[in-house]
Amino acid sequence: MRGACAVAGVTVLVVVGAGMAAAGDESGRPDLARYYTQKIKWGTCKGDTEAMAEATGGAKDIRCGHVSVPLDYADPASGDVDVAMIRMKSSASGKPRGSLLLNFGGPGGPGVSALAGAQKDFGFLSKDYDVVSFDPRGVGLSEPVSCGDADKSTDPSSGGTGDAAAVLAEMRKVAAECAKKSGPVLPHMGTVNVSRDLDVMRQALGDKKLNYLGFSYGTRLGAVYAAQFPKNVGRMVLDGVDTLTEPVAEQSLVTAEGRQTALDNFLTWCTGNAGCVFGTDSRSARKGMVRLIKDMDQMPLRSLDGAEFTGQDVVGVLGQALYSRQAWPALSQALGALLADGDPRALIRMSGGLVPTGIPSTGPSTGPATGPATGPAAGEEVPADNMAAALMGVNCADDPDRPDAAHIEKEVGKLQKQFDDASPVFGKSMLMPVLLCFGRPAGTKYIREDVRDVKTPKLLLVGTRGDPATPYRWTEETARRLGSQAVVLDNKGDGHTGYLGSTCVQDKVNGFLLYGETPKSGESCAADEG
């Protein structure tokens, strides 16, 4: 969910409704012509991406490429970033409608490996579109950022208000290590820049309009694009709608609460089924889960090569698996193997991670049955902490609130209690992103102040009532901000996002993207559909 690793000031250069600035433009905008005139050279995907595409049965239709975008849009001469892309070619007998760009969320989620592993889920849309995804700048194969192990060296829950100064001092060390390991892309992360990259991709793909399907954080990206480039918007769907207004601290707290509710629901379901490793009492199960996390943080499992699997690693797997109710049986089995035999392999595979050396892998991956998945790492060149580092980098860049150190020293103890009360399991991991933004330059005000009342074609927003990450009220709030062009589809089911968890939602989204059929305002999908 939310967070930040290290961030410098982000220069915001907004081009509303324009494609590119020509050389010598009297407006004084930098010349971006060489970016907007490039063509993508598609070729065979390499490494883990190729293997994943083959394993999911569609490698012949999958190709990879990249576009170059400015490191700094205010100063294109300062360098470029190569953004990795993947395309699932349309199966249309004639000329396809164009491209449909996907963002699977995060921030920090890689789109290349995600689409390679989810071709069947978007096969229907490929009847009319070339389905395309990408790793945003700083993510996956697009010059990935990293903090190394620095972000694990500070435990915000280890002390109270008396330790606040020490905690903040550690955070500054983490920021320095992130900057050192991440290179020049880190100060230029943030949704405003990724949105501009998205428009370069649109042009390089040969599309006059951007057709787009964004999940979770991808809805924030879509909303920013609609504000920056309203004349370039085609058919846009935002599923699992993010907030545009709430600060990082509030977002993280909401996520902690949502994940705890989902975990409680899972444990109630588990204890109601025979063979649940936590027994038959849901209250005891909740206590047992908290005890498991604490015990494994104190005494992690170790592989033969010394790699650790900690309680916080378990928390990370839970955060992903709880997004989809269909994943609950696999999660129950994986937790059973961990508690009964000390075997974390199934949990590691559920996270999309690689099984550490010395823990032999057996059987196929047991990832969640539905829901946008990040997939495994793209190879050794992608740092293990890239998703976490990118998530934190983007959210700090997007958030303008920066209390000073004196205020934070006073508030650390209060924040710790707030997050622990919200979730004894997820509170710690959700507090870390909040603290990591402190002491860094304020992010852009553009999203909070200017992404509103867009002048685009109709936008379809999907909100799920039981979503553990993006509460339904965010869908309503964002729809009001975007204005009369935003149409809300009310999914009364559970899980994070609706497209891959509900047949009803999928049918209506497909109808909108393929045929321009816009649901009526207030239309809903029943919980038992899908």
Side-chain angles (χ1 to χ4, degrees), residues 271-449:
T271 55
N273 288 275
C276 179
V277 71
F278 291 101
T280 59
D281 181 72
S282 60
R283 181 177 296 182
S284 296
R286 288 193 287 272
K287 292 179 180 178
M289 181 64 77
V290 173
R291 187 166 54 252
L292 169 67
I293 303 302
K294 289 183 177 179
D295 288 348
M296 287 190 61
D297 277 338
Q298 292 173 2
M299 297 184 63
L301 295 174
R302 292 182 184 273
S303 62
L304 295 179
D305 67 350
E308 292 185 346
F309 189 75
T310 69
Q312 293 310 302
D313 290 325
V314 176
V315 171
V317 177
L318 291 173
Q320 294 185 48
L322 291 170
Y323 281 173
S324 170
R325 194 179 183 96
Q326 286 88 339
W328 287 7
L331 177 60
S332 179
Q333 292 176 6
L335 288 169
L338 179 67
L339 283 167
D341 304 317
D343 183 355
R345 290 174 300 181
L347 278 175
I348 293 170
R349 290 194 295 267
M350 286 197 77
S351 72
L354 301 176
V355 177
T357 303
I359 300 178
S361 178
T362 58
S365 173
T366 54
T370 61
T374 56
E380 291 183 359
E381 69 271 25
V382 180
D385 75 319
N386 174 239
M387 287 181 63
L391 178 149
M392 292 183 282
V394 170
N395 280 321
C396 281
D398 287 0
D399 188 273
D401 296 325
R402 290 295 187 277
D404 59 34
H407 177 77
I408 297 310
E409 284 190 31
K410 183 179 178 180
E411 294 294 317
V412 164
K414 180 181 177 182
L415 281 170
Q416 177 190 328
K417 186 176 186 307
Q418 275 186 317
F419 278 79
D420 284 346
D421 288 346
S423 172
V425 171
F426 297 102
K428 177 179 176 179
S429 62
M430 289 294 100
L431 176 56
M432 179 66 81
V434 177
L435 294 180
L436 284 171
C437 278
F438 295 146
R440 291 161 176 77
T444 179
K445 294 182 180 179
Y446 176 77
I447 300 173
R448 190 175 295 180
E449 295 182 356

Side-chain angles (χ1 to χ4, degrees), residues 131-143:
V131 180
V132 178
S133 193
F134 62 101
D135 290 352
R137 57 170 64 204
V139 174
L141 301 175
S142 300
E143 303 190 20

Side-chain angles (χ1 to χ4, degrees), residues 430-497:
M430 289 294 100
L431 176 56
M432 179 66 81
V434 177
L435 294 180
L436 284 171
C437 278
F438 295 146
R440 291 161 176 77
T444 179
K445 294 182 180 179
Y446 176 77
I447 300 173
R448 190 175 295 180
E449 295 182 356
D450 297 327
V451 180
R452 60 172 68 243
D453 301 319
V454 296
K455 308 300 181 185
T456 66
K458 292 292 184 183
L459 309 173
L460 179 58
L461 278 60
V462 180
T464 298
R465 294 283 178 170
D467 195 312
T470 51
Y472 185 79
R473 65 178 174 83
W474 284 357
T475 303
E476 296 178 316
E477 291 168 2
T478 298
R480 287 194 294 269
R481 280 182 61 85
L482 295 179
S484 60
Q485 296 305 96
V487 176
V488 172
L489 176 62
D490 180 357
N491 177 27
K492 298 185 183 299
D494 295 307
H496 184 38
T497 73

